[in-house]
Amino acid sequence: MAKKTKSEIKKRIADLRKLDISKMYMNDFYLTWDKTDDEIAAVFEVAEILRGLRENNISTKVFDSGLGISVFRDNSTRTRFSFASACNLLGLEVQDLDEKKSQIAHGETVRETANMISFMADIIGIRDDMYIGKGHTYQKTVADSVQEGYDKGILEQRPTIVNLQCDIDHPTQTMADMLSVINYFGGVENLKGKKVAMTWAYSPSYGKPLSVPQGVIGLFTRFGMDVVLAHPEGYDVMPECEKVAEENAKKSGGSFKKVATMEEAFKDADIVYPKSWASFAVMEERTKLVEEKKFDELDALEKKCLENNAKFKNWACTEDMMKLTKDGKALYLHCLPADITGVSCKEGEVDASVFDRYIEPLYKQASYKPYVIAAMILLERFKDPANLLEKLLSDGKERVMSDN
Amino acid sequence: MAKKTKSEIKKRIADLRKLDISKMYMNDFYLTWDKTDDEIAAVFEVAEILRGLRENNISTKVFDSGLGISVFRDNSTRTRFSFASACNLLGLEVQDLDEKKSQIAHGETVRETANMISFMADIIGIRDDMYIGKGHTYQKTVADSVQEGYDKGILEQRPTIVNLQCDIDHPTQTMADMLSVINYFGGVENLKGKKVAMTWAYSPSYGKPLSVPQGVIGLFTRFGMDVVLAHPEGYDVMPECEKVAEENAKKSGGSFKKVATMEEAFKDADIVYPKSWASFAVMEERTKLVEEKKFDELDALEKKCLENNAKFKNWACTEDMMKLTKDGKALYLHCLPADITGVSCKEGEVDASVFDRYIEPLYKQASYKPYVIAAMILLERFKDPANLLEKLLSDGKERVMSDN
Amino acid sequence: MAKKTKSEIKKRIADLRKLDISKMYMNDFYLTWDKTDDEIAAVFEVAEILRGLRENNISTKVFDSGLGISVFRDNSTRTRFSFASACNLLGLEVQDLDEKKSQIAHGETVRETANMISFMADIIGIRDDMYIGKGHTYQKTVADSVQEGYDKGILEQRPTIVNLQCDIDHPTQTMADMLSVINYFGGVENLKGKKVAMTWAYSPSYGKPLSVPQGVIGLFTRFGMDVVLAHPEGYDVMPECEKVAEENAKKSGGSFKKVATMEEAFKDADIVYPKSWASFAVMEERTKLVEEKKFDELDALEKKCLENNAKFKNWACTEDMMKLTKDGKALYLHCLPADITGVSCKEGEVDASVFDRYIEPLYKQASYKPYVIAAMILLERFKDPANLLEKLLSDGKERVMSDN
């Protein structure tokens, strides 16, 4: 990627000024489909501008102090580091709410915890993706709690929420995906009519979240693309997400359809996103069993699911499968880590040779995430981001001190 | 809470100048009763000034770099976040000494560890509240060790200690409590003659520290209030703390007495602080059993204690109990998290309806803790805090960069 | 230690200018013997200059934002805090890759993880010392991965590596050791002909890394000293490290030899470094058993080793042993924590009375580590460190804000 010039950055700041982002200020980011096209575009612009400033060794520290709170209710490497990077880029210090070290287990309510961690918090990033019907609700409860705290004068500032993955959507992932796609195809104007295959793929693990496929069909359908969803019988995503995809496709002049096989999905696709997930129904059952503490039945459920998964080992992104795509050269996307056949597991989502061929775009795809998160934070916390970014550019404070 | 104006901040800085705080510089903060009235008042002033500066978006970063070390030997949410917030507010980065990740278990002495973590430490915050006769001693040992390290030229600066809770006192909690009380009643001058009920309350848990009741009777008696301590037989606090309370009450023109029932304590009280704790004798026995690694007997002790606790389930802050207080409207205090009947446990310290009615003051009470900690740090590290704060005010460096 | 004056700092900056350090920029630091004498000298100079600036309350924050990633694959207190201190001193925020909280176990390759954590990383510090043939290789793989990421435009900067201990060398430790020795003897010019005894010592633990003895013989032989290595039969270090020591001794005009007893090594020594380690052969066997998941045999190996260790309890740094050294007053070095007889174990590496007598130099020895790490970072990240340091000195930005 070529380093952006200062005039390119200026051009983007000018473009940002044209977008209506008045409702983003002091608002949370949960689901991409809550946001207008202008708002989505603004996240991309700000992400690119922040990246451009950093490439030019220009500091983007807009906070002199302040905390960025992270709440990870599931293991995480890249999202954890992306959030930390984004906060550091803007001058916030990350403080992680480690529920094991906290007293949460001992009777704290969400409302209480939300306020207790927020006295000096400008942003709260939450990952809570394990249980259907839970993650998004939890995030909203945190938001309602800090709003109440702010309204009552308990909090001096109302921290805003960035959804770092919930049961419904994974906006920081899918927007990083999308931004990499925009760059890969040389601009958002080149996406119309491109075919995207969001497909299930076999993995020897169980219970992977649905937020990526749901988020992808919800977001990619906004760009006039032909989005196809494919999965084995019984691996449905949430119906409301399919509905979002349909409506978005209609509005954008693209299309959304479901097909029965990976082959059909891959046929002439420009972009493929083969990835494992558990079915919506299974995730619901699991959530119920956990709530009821029926751990024996939980084990039985896992066993049953893994057996069922194993029926669909042919849902794999093999070299043969890739040959079906447009000129055999579709862009392969994955949120990582992938289950690579013969590398991280015996049989998995993707052939090692396919995966290896796409290492460069895959890692670039991931590299947008810190900037997307930083853009969300900036758009949530500042009324006039364009002005702010222009000041940063003209101030030109060095990120790394120069030695000459 | 109304945002403080700059002239109110100036007024407070002028008030701060009148206090004799010469002995706070380069000194530790262990127990409130080690400190003079002027020193206690200075912590409140500085806390309010820092809060005022932050409300006015003025940076209070007095450290360009430096570490704030935290040592938590017990789980913690609010104190951990409060310490992190305070450090961040002043420009220190928190580094947590996680004893599980360290080599401490493998032969390091306290003296050694204290020096090893302090090469770039300006402050060390320690929470060690679990064992009677241990926590305070541990903190003093750390202090002696870094003093020796500084004297011998090993450390370039002598980090000072903030007691984040020990077996004797919990000064950052009780001073946050007190500062919220001062604000609630519209000024320290309005506290004379107010009745405070510090009472035991039932909880289905065992072994809660004594530092809060001990700290409250030790601090609240300094403000001319009538402090009453009540607990079931056998739940005594440390006798030396009662003695402190008696002496303080005498000096301040207030009173301290013990009564036998919660009812008597609550009668006409202006402030109630019903909270569970283990008895001093039990805590001593537990400490001994842990030292002797008699874990079977430890289980037996827990069982016995829980059974004993259960005899006093009527020690609960119910609606009926609240009706006994002054106009039925006493201020309800708790250090949180509370054991709320029907919410976090079947039967606990407080009725849900009572707790809910006091959410706002309770959370405000907690909101002072980061500022109290920051004030302690600032008073320990700077010779002329008033000058420093004035400089911050007149420099007016923005905490959050302005976008216009 | 007397605080350095500004003119002393200037003098050191001038000395730094005379050294050829052109190959350090954008390079990693793995093993001291990869580096030229000028490069080693530069680390010492920069460490002293940074220490001098901090003593004069001058900020050395050369990074406005940016991450220092730490990867600890073994427990650590002092190295963890030293790395955190070094990063904070320069303006980098530490982000720890906690492999337990990450998805690494679930199929991420080293290449992938290395890139995923590096989007905003300027430095990566790695400790991986447990398995022979693994640690150094792992560090190189991380370096190759981020180099590839940088070359392909995935990473905007190529983070450089600081070896915080591997299976071969422990450069941040041995260079802190060496810098303390230089200061103890009043200058590098006074070291020629000094006798150094690097000896094995008994400890009731098993499997301590070899990196310290290997690193010490590899580094100390560069200063014209007479380095003697002694250990019981079967506790050999890696042959290639002995070869490095021989060659270095030849070049520097010093000597390197192996002797059979601790007594012979200690005889007339100016410096003694008695420390336990596992033998190279045992470490290799252990690595193999872990790879093959033969955990029963691993237990048997441990038992056998501890039994074997116990034959050599007389390898202890006792008062009598110390009497053999030059005037009975050799400088006692240890990387800490030491196994102290009667303190941290029944019988260990050193008598309590010996250890206690050397507390001051021992802790000073440790105090150089943060500065050595910071110096390595600075030399890896800046083309003209002398210029940079001069700017810091002349800017004179306060680390702690002055209150007058």
Side-chain angles (χ1 to χ4, degrees):
Chain A
M1 281 174 288
K3 190 179 115 168
K4 281 172 207 58
T5 63
K6 288 189 187 174
S7 62
E8 280 168 328
I9 296 171
K10 273 185 196 163
K11 164 83 174 56
R12 282 187 179 276
I13 294 175
D15 288 346
L16 177 61
R17 289 198 189 281
K18 293 172 199 153
L19 302 170
D20 178 5
I21 54 171
S22 53
K23 287 194 185 109
M24 297 189 91
Y25 179 58
M26 287 309 294
N27 241 312
D28 307 309
F29 204 115
Y30 301 111
L31 310 171
T32 61
W33 46 91
D34 289 343
K35 302 291 173 186
T36 67
D37 288 348
D38 269 17
E39 290 168 348
I40 296 290
V43 173
F44 294 145
E45 285 293 6
V46 174
E48 294 277 16
I49 294 165
L50 288 172
R51 186 163 203 151
L53 290 170
R54 197 176 193 279
E55 287 164 352
N56 283 278
N57 195 36
I58 294 174
S59 169
T60 53
K61 234 171 157 172
V62 290
F63 295 95
D64 180 68
S65 66
L67 298 181
I69 310 293
S70 61
V71 185
F72 283 89
R73 310 187 113 192
D74 193 6
N75 284 338
S76 170
T77 308
R78 72 206 67 244
T79 302
R80 183 180 289 276
F81 272 77
S82 291
F83 183 71
S85 298
C87 284
N88 177 264
L89 188 70
L90 301 178
L92 296 173
E93 195 177 322
V94 172
Q95 185 66 14
D96 188 41
L97 178 66
D98 184 335
E99 302 195 348
K100 281 174 226 94
K101 286 188 191 168
S102 79
Q103 298 188 330
I104 291 174
H106 310 285
E108 276 191 41
T109 61
V110 173
R111 177 171 61 167
E112 194 168 307
T113 305
N115 276 280
M116 295 304 122
I117 62 177
S118 295
F119 297 130
M120 295 194 187
D122 288 290
I123 203 83
I124 304 177
I126 306 174
R127 177 169 181 172
D128 185 351
D129 55 5
M130 298 299 282
Y131 302 107
I132 286 290
K134 301 286 169 184
H136 179 61
T137 307
Y138 173 77
Q139 295 185 7
K140 293 282 259 187
T141 311
V142 170
D144 291 346
S145 304
V146 292
Q147 184 64 51
E148 190 194 350
Y150 178 68
D151 292 342
K152 290 188 172 166
I154 292 153
L155 304 178
E156 280 146 30
Q157 70 297 318
R158 193 280 211 193
T160 46
I161 313 292
V162 170
N163 172 9
L164 298 176
Q165 186 167 6
C166 72
D167 52 325
I168 303 175
D169 196 5
H170 192 347
T172 65
Q173 178 65 48
T174 59
M175 291 194 69
D177 297 342
M178 192 63 216
L179 188 48
S180 79
V181 165
I182 291 171
N183 277 286
Y184 186 87
F185 288 101
V188 72
E189 62 279 9
N190 300 327
L191 300 183
K192 281 216 180 297
K194 292 272 183 294
K195 181 180 175 184
V196 182
M198 178 76 237
T199 81
W200 192 87
Y202 170 73
S203 150
S205 89
Y206 143 81
K208 296 209 176 184
L210 293 144
S211 52
V212 167
Q214 291 173 168
V216 166
I217 63 170
L219 179 64
F220 281 44
T221 44
R222 296 174 82 150
F223 296 87
M225 300 200 276
D226 296 318
V227 178
V228 171
L229 177 67
H231 55 74
E233 219 189 299
Y235 288 81
D236 300 84
V237 301
M238 293 170 79
E240 42 277 59
C241 296
E242 293 191 13
K243 219 172 141 233
V244 165
E246 278 159 25
E247 284 166 12
N248 282 347
K250 207 173 297 171
K251 271 185 264 168
S252 78
S255 68
F256 172 69
K257 70 175 171 187
K258 292 184 68 174
V259 297
T261 66
M262 201 173 190
E263 285 78 2
E264 200 180 339
F266 268 50
K267 183 88 183 55
D268 289 324
D270 296 280
I271 298 166
V272 296
Y273 206 137
K275 199 211 159 298
S276 193
W277 66 79
S279 83
F280 172 48
V282 163
M283 290 299 251
E284 274 193 321
E285 196 176 337
R286 192 174 72 149
T287 303
K288 209 167 141 270
L289 292 177
V290 168
E291 278 183 332
E292 294 168 359
K293 299 189 181 178
K294 295 182 176 167
F295 297 111
D296 286 354
E297 295 183 35
L298 208 60
D299 288 344
L301 177 67
E302 175 166 0
K303 197 160 165 274
K304 197 184 74 183
C305 287
L306 286 174
E307 280 167 12
N308 203 58
N309 274 11
K311 291 182 201 158
F312 306 107
K313 289 190 180 176
N314 58 327
W315 287 71
C317 184
T318 60
E319 288 290 2
D320 279 347
M321 203 64 88
M322 284 303 288
K323 281 186 193 135
L324 299 174
T325 69
K326 175 77 69 58
D327 305 327
K329 289 182 176 168
L331 175 62
Y332 166 81
L333 296 179
H334 197 286
C335 54
L336 304 179
D339 289 318
I340 307 164
T341 300
V343 177
S344 46
C345 57
K346 220 178 121 201
E347 296 163 293
E349 298 170 314
V350 59
D351 276 5
S353 60
V354 174
F355 188 84
D356 271 5
R357 198 161 61 247
Y358 287 94
I359 283 280
E360 194 177 318
L362 276 171
Y363 288 6
K364 275 189 190 161
Q365 178 187 352
S367 76
Y368 289 103
K369 201 189 270 182
Y371 292 107
V372 163
I373 297 174
M376 288 177 180
I377 296 174
L378 201 132
L379 286 158
E380 290 183 1
R381 306 304 303 174
F382 293 89
K383 217 171 197 158
D384 193 340
N387 248 7
L388 186 77
L389 293 163
E390 206 151 74
K391 268 171 83 170
L392 290 174
L393 180 63
S394 67
D395 286 359
K397 192 169 180 244
E398 295 165 343
R399 181 184 79 83
V400 183
M401 201 170 157
S402 83
D403 53 6
N404 55 41
Chain B
M1 281 173 288
K3 188 178 117 169
K4 282 171 208 56
T5 64
K6 289 189 187 175
S7 61
E8 280 168 326
I9 295 171
K10 273 184 197 162
K11 165 82 175 56
R12 282 186 178 276
I13 293 175
D15 289 345
L16 177 60
R17 287 197 190 282
K18 294 172 198 153
L19 301 171
D20 177 6
I21 54 171
S22 53
K23 289 195 184 107
M24 296 190 92
Y25 177 59
M26 288 310 293
N27 242 312
D28 307 309
F29 204 115
Y30 301 110
L31 311 171
T32 60
W33 45 92
D34 289 342
K35 302 291 174 187
T36 66
D37 288 348
D38 268 17
E39 290 169 348
I40 296 290
V43 172
F44 293 146
E45 285 293 6
V46 174
E48 294 278 16
I49 293 165
L50 288 172
R51 186 164 203 151
L53 290 170
R54 197 176 192 278
E55 286 165 352
N56 282 279
N57 195 36
I58 295 175
S59 169
T60 52
K61 235 173 156 170
V62 291
F63 295 96
D64 180 68
S65 66
L67 298 181
I69 311 293
S70 61
V71 185
F72 283 90
R73 311 187 113 192
D74 193 6
N75 284 337
S76 169
T77 308
R78 73 205 66 245
T79 302
R80 184 180 290 276
F81 272 77
S82 291
F83 182 72
S85 298
C87 284
N88 178 264
L89 187 70
L90 301 179
L92 296 172
E93 196 178 322
V94 173
Q95 186 66 14
D96 189 41
L97 177 66
D98 184 334
E99 302 194 349
K100 282 175 224 92
K101 284 187 192 169
S102 81
Q103 299 188 331
I104 291 175
H106 310 287
E108 275 190 39
T109 60
V110 173
R111 178 171 61 169
E112 193 169 310
T113 305
N115 276 281
M116 294 304 122
I117 62 178
S118 294
F119 297 129
M120 295 195 187
D122 287 291
I123 203 84
I124 304 177
I126 306 175
R127 177 169 181 172
D128 185 352
D129 55 3
M130 298 299 282
Y131 302 108
I132 285 290
K134 302 285 171 185
H136 179 59
T137 306
Y138 174 76
Q139 295 184 7
K140 293 282 258 187
T141 311
V142 169
D144 291 345
S145 305
V146 294
Q147 184 64 51
E148 189 194 350
Y150 178 68
D151 292 342
K152 290 190 172 164
I154 292 153
L155 303 178
E156 280 146 31
Q157 70 296 318
R158 193 281 212 192
T160 45
I161 313 293
V162 170
N163 172 10
L164 298 176
Q165 188 167 5
C166 71
D167 51 324
I168 303 176
D169 196 4
H170 192 347
T172 65
Q173 178 65 48
T174 59
M175 291 194 70
D177 296 343
M178 192 64 216
L179 189 48
S180 79
V181 165
I182 291 171
N183 277 286
Y184 186 87
F185 288 101
V188 70
E189 62 278 10
N190 299 327
L191 301 183
K192 282 217 179 294
K194 292 273 182 294
K195 180 178 176 186
V196 182
M198 178 74 238
T199 80
W200 191 87
Y202 170 73
S203 151
S205 90
Y206 143 80
K208 296 210 176 183
L210 293 143
S211 52
V212 167
Q214 292 173 167
V216 165
I217 62 169
L219 179 65
F220 281 44
T221 43
R222 297 175 80 150
F223 297 86
M225 299 201 277
D226 297 317
V227 178
V228 171
L229 176 67
H231 55 75
E233 217 188 300
Y235 287 81
D236 300 83
V237 301
M238 293 170 80
E240 43 277 59
C241 295
E242 292 192 13
K243 217 172 143 236
V244 165
E246 278 159 24
E247 284 165 13
N248 282 347
K250 206 172 297 170
K251 271 185 264 169
S252 78
S255 68
F256 172 69
K257 69 175 170 186
K258 293 185 67 174
V259 297
T261 65
M262 201 176 191
E263 285 79 2
E264 199 180 338
F266 268 49
K267 184 86 180 53
D268 288 325
D270 297 280
I271 299 167
V272 296
Y273 206 138
K275 199 209 160 298
S276 193
W277 66 80
S279 83
F280 172 47
V282 164
M283 289 300 250
E284 273 193 321
E285 195 176 339
R286 192 173 71 148
T287 304
K288 208 166 141 272
L289 293 176
V290 168
E291 277 183 334
E292 295 167 358
K293 298 189 181 177
K294 296 184 175 165
F295 297 110
D296 285 354
E297 295 183 35
L298 207 60
D299 287 346
L301 177 67
E302 174 165 2
K303 198 161 165 274
K304 197 184 75 182
C305 287
L306 286 174
E307 280 167 13
N308 203 59
N309 274 10
K311 292 181 201 158
F312 306 108
K313 289 191 180 176
N314 60 325
W315 287 71
C317 184
T318 59
E319 289 289 3
D320 279 346
M321 203 65 88
M322 284 303 288
K323 280 183 193 138
L324 299 174
T325 69
K326 175 78 69 58
D327 304 327
K329 287 184 175 168
L331 175 62
Y332 166 81
L333 296 179
H334 198 285
C335 53
L336 304 179
D339 289 318
I340 307 164
T341 300
V343 177
S344 46
C345 57
K346 221 178 121 200
E347 295 162 292
E349 299 170 313
V350 59
D351 275 7
S353 61
V354 173
F355 187 84
D356 271 6
R357 196 160 65 247
Y358 288 93
I359 283 280
E360 195 177 318
L362 276 170
Y363 289 5
K364 276 188 190 162
Q365 178 188 352
S367 76
Y368 289 103
K369 200 189 272 182
Y371 291 106
V372 163
I373 296 174
M376 288 177 181
I377 296 174
L378 201 132
L379 286 158
E380 290 183 0
R381 306 304 302 174
F382 293 89
K383 215 169 197 162
D384 193 339
N387 248 8
L388 185 78
L389 293 163
E390 206 151 74
K391 269 170 83 171
L392 290 173
L393 180 63
S394 66
D395 285 359
K397 191 166 182 248
E398 294 165 344
R399 182 184 80 82
V400 183
M401 201 172 156
S402 83
D403 53 5
N404 55 41
Chain C
M1 281 173 289
K3 190 178 117 169
K4 282 172 208 56
T5 63
K6 288 189 188 174
S7 61
E8 281 169 326
I9 296 171
K10 273 185 197 162
K11 164 82 174 58
R12 283 187 178 277
I13 294 175
D15 288 345
L16 177 61
R17 287 198 191 280
K18 294 172 199 153
L19 301 171
D20 178 5
I21 53 171
S22 53
K23 287 195 185 107
M24 297 189 92
Y25 178 57
M26 288 310 292
N27 242 313
D28 308 309
F29 204 115
Y30 301 111
L31 311 171
T32 60
W33 47 91
D34 287 344
K35 302 292 174 186
T36 66
D37 289 347
D38 268 17
E39 290 169 348
I40 296 292
V43 173
F44 293 145
E45 285 293 6
V46 174
E48 294 277 16
I49 294 165
L50 288 171
R51 187 164 203 151
L53 290 169
R54 197 175 193 278
E55 285 164 353
N56 282 279
N57 196 35
I58 295 175
S59 169
T60 53
K61 236 172 155 171
V62 291
F63 295 96
D64 181 67
S65 67
L67 298 181
I69 310 293
S70 61
V71 184
F72 283 88
R73 310 187 115 193
D74 193 6
N75 283 338
S76 170
T77 310
R78 72 207 66 244
T79 302
R80 184 180 289 277
F81 272 78
S82 291
F83 183 72
S85 298
C87 284
N88 177 264
L89 187 71
L90 300 178
L92 295 173
E93 196 178 322
V94 172
Q95 185 67 15
D96 188 41
L97 177 66
D98 184 335
E99 302 194 348
K100 283 174 223 92
K101 286 186 190 170
S102 80
Q103 298 187 331
I104 291 174
H106 310 286
E108 277 192 39
T109 60
V110 173
R111 178 170 62 169
E112 194 168 309
T113 305
N115 275 281
M116 295 304 122
I117 62 177
S118 295
F119 296 130
M120 295 196 186
D122 287 290
I123 203 83
I124 305 177
I126 307 175
R127 177 170 180 171
D128 185 351
D129 55 3
M130 298 300 281
Y131 302 108
I132 286 289
K134 301 286 169 184
H136 178 61
T137 307
Y138 174 76
Q139 295 185 7
K140 294 282 260 186
T141 310
V142 170
D144 291 345
S145 304
V146 293
Q147 184 63 52
E148 189 194 350
Y150 179 67
D151 292 340
K152 290 189 171 165
I154 292 153
L155 303 178
E156 281 147 29
Q157 70 296 319
R158 193 280 210 192
T160 45
I161 313 292
V162 169
N163 171 10
L164 299 177
Q165 187 168 6
C166 72
D167 51 325
I168 303 176
D169 196 6
H170 192 346
T172 64
Q173 178 64 50
T174 59
M175 291 194 68
D177 296 342
M178 192 64 217
L179 189 48
S180 79
V181 165
I182 291 171
N183 277 286
Y184 186 87
F185 288 100
V188 72
E189 62 279 10
N190 300 327
L191 300 183
K192 282 220 178 293
K194 291 272 182 295
K195 180 178 176 186
V196 182
M198 178 75 238
T199 80
W200 192 86
Y202 170 75
S203 150
S205 91
Y206 144 79
K208 296 210 176 183
L210 293 144
S211 51
V212 167
Q214 292 172 168
V216 166
I217 62 169
L219 179 64
F220 280 45
T221 43
R222 296 174 81 151
F223 296 87
M225 300 202 276
D226 297 317
V227 178
V228 171
L229 176 67
H231 55 74
E233 218 189 301
Y235 287 81
D236 300 84
V237 301
M238 293 170 80
E240 43 277 59
C241 296
E242 292 192 13
K243 218 172 141 234
V244 164
E246 278 158 26
E247 284 166 11
N248 281 347
K250 207 173 296 171
K251 270 185 263 170
S252 78
S255 68
F256 173 68
K257 69 175 171 186
K258 294 184 66 175
V259 297
T261 65
M262 201 174 191
E263 285 78 2
E264 199 181 337
F266 268 50
K267 184 87 182 56
D268 289 324
D270 297 280
I271 299 167
V272 296
Y273 206 137
K275 198 207 161 300
S276 193
W277 66 81
S279 83
F280 172 47
V282 164
M283 290 299 252
E284 274 194 321
E285 195 176 337
R286 192 174 71 149
T287 305
K288 208 167 142 270
L289 293 177
V290 169
E291 278 183 333
E292 293 167 0
K293 299 189 180 175
K294 295 182 176 167
F295 297 110
D296 286 353
E297 296 183 34
L298 208 59
D299 288 344
L301 178 68
E302 175 166 0
K303 199 162 163 273
K304 197 184 73 184
C305 288
L306 286 174
E307 281 167 13
N308 204 58
N309 274 10
K311 292 182 201 157
F312 306 108
K313 289 190 179 175
N314 59 326
W315 287 71
C317 185
T318 59
E319 288 290 3
D320 279 345
M321 203 66 89
M322 284 302 288
K323 280 184 194 139
L324 299 175
T325 69
K326 173 79 68 58
D327 304 326
K329 288 182 175 169
L331 175 62
Y332 166 82
L333 296 179
H334 197 286
C335 53
L336 304 180
D339 289 317
I340 307 165
T341 300
V343 176
S344 46
C345 57
K346 222 179 119 200
E347 295 162 291
E349 299 170 312
V350 59
D351 275 6
S353 61
V354 173
F355 188 85
D356 271 6
R357 197 161 62 246
Y358 288 92
I359 283 281
E360 195 177 318
L362 277 170
Y363 288 5
K364 276 189 190 162
Q365 178 188 352
S367 77
Y368 288 103
K369 202 190 269 183
Y371 292 106
V372 163
I373 297 174
M376 288 178 181
I377 296 174
L378 201 131
L379 286 158
E380 290 183 2
R381 307 303 303 173
F382 293 89
K383 216 172 198 160
D384 194 339
N387 248 9
L388 186 78
L389 293 163
E390 204 152 75
K391 269 170 83 170
L392 290 173
L393 180 64
S394 66
D395 286 0
K397 194 169 179 244
E398 295 166 343
R399 182 184 80 83
V400 183
M401 201 171 156
S402 83
D403 52 5
N404 54 42

